[in-house]
Amino acid sequence: NAGVTQTPKFRILKIGQSMTLQCTQDMNHNYMYWYRQDPGMGLKLIYYSVGAGITDKGEVPNGYNVSRSTTEDFPLRLELAAPSQTSVYFCASSYPRGADTGELFFGEGSRLTVL
Amino acid sequence: AQSVTQPDIHITVSEGASLELRCNYSYGATPYLFWYVQSPGQGLQLLLKYFSGDTLVQGIKGFEAEFKRSQSSFNLRKPSVHWSDAAEYFCAVSSGGYNKLIFGAGTRLAVHP
């Protein structure tokens, strides 16, 4: 059982470049999330999705875009990379709360550096 | 607005010593509370959660946490720390439905032999 898989694990971008962080999960979870982690700041929610075709902004969405065409995949796109987007990005998924778990399952993270 | 505060950025304990990591939350209603652990280079793993009922909850790896509404706290404890417990620990509160979580800044635990 692979769980939540993120690619790439590491990437260096130049200012102004674009890229997509890929995330896929094989647990048939409805909910998916993108968080960024900065030192001393914990994790901040960028975007989330409650099902295919439905996405919404989190706490820090500026500079990012997402799509959810399938239950399994939730890619995060950076259109014009800026140094402030240097961070570790985590994708996560979960069941709806009706399943009474509340637990988020996390990928191993993608470390992005913008120079 | 909901928030989570972890007052201790870094804690060092000796192997075999007891551990308590502090967490305070701000939330208007009954909170859903979580503790996650992050080992170096890894994603986050759920240690335990509190939804309702018994205020002392047991988790994996011998951890427990106690919910105290009067103090708005959800402190994580372990009676005897092992070297493998060295990691970063995050307290989180569920916010706004859809299992969205607000995380604290984290506490990094170092364990001395």
Side-chain angles (χ1 to χ4, degrees), chain B residues 22-78:
Chain B
R22 295 183 292 165
C23 172
N24 294 98
Y25 66 89
S26 172
Y27 192 75
T30 300
Y32 289 4
L33 295 160
F34 305 81
W35 275 99
Y36 281 84
V37 60
Q38 183 183 31
S39 299
Q42 300 296 313
L44 279 72
Q45 179 185 20
L46 180 69
L47 281 176
L48 47 78
K49 61 190 177 189
Y50 171 77
F51 281 2
S52 65
D54 192 346
T55 56
L56 183 64
V57 293
Q58 303 296 320
I60 62 171
K61 304 185 180 185
F63 285 91
E64 66 178 27
E66 186 171 13
F67 169 61
K68 293 185 177 180
R69 184 187 300 276
S70 61
Q71 299 178 18
S72 297
S73 69
F74 188 56
N75 294 350
L76 182 71
R77 302 193 293 247
K78 187 170 186 178

Side-chain angles (χ1 to χ4, degrees), chain B residues 17-18 32 42 64 90 101 107 109:
Chain B
S18 63
Y32 289 4
Q42 300 296 313
E64 66 178 27
F90 292 93
L101 297 183
T107 298
L109 174 67

Side-chain angles (χ1 to χ4, degrees), chain B residues 12-20 78-82 85 111-112:
Chain B
T12 300
V13 300
S14 298
E15 191 168 17
S18 63
L19 172 70
E20 182 169 27
K78 187 170 186 178
S80 178
V81 171
H82 188 263
D85 293 324
V111 180
H112 281 179

Side-chain angles (χ1 to χ4, degrees), chain A residues 31 33 35 37 40-43 45 48 50 90 94-97 100-104 106-108, chain B residues 32 34 36 38 41-44 46 49 51 88 90 94 97-106:
Chain A
Y31 297 171
Y33 316 82
Y35 284 88
Q37 182 183 25
M41 302 292 290
L43 283 77
L45 181 63
Y48 67 101
V50 300
F90 286 98
S94 77
Y95 294 106
R97 186 175 288 162
D100 196 27
T101 65
E103 176 179 1
L104 268 60
F106 283 84
E108 294 189 347
Chain B
Y32 289 4
F34 305 81
Y36 281 84
Q38 183 183 31
Q42 300 296 313
L44 279 72
L46 180 69
K49 61 190 177 189
F51 281 2
E88 189 155 21
F90 292 93
S94 186
Y98 304 120
N99 293 345
K100 293 181 291 179
L101 297 183
I102 293 177
F103 286 86

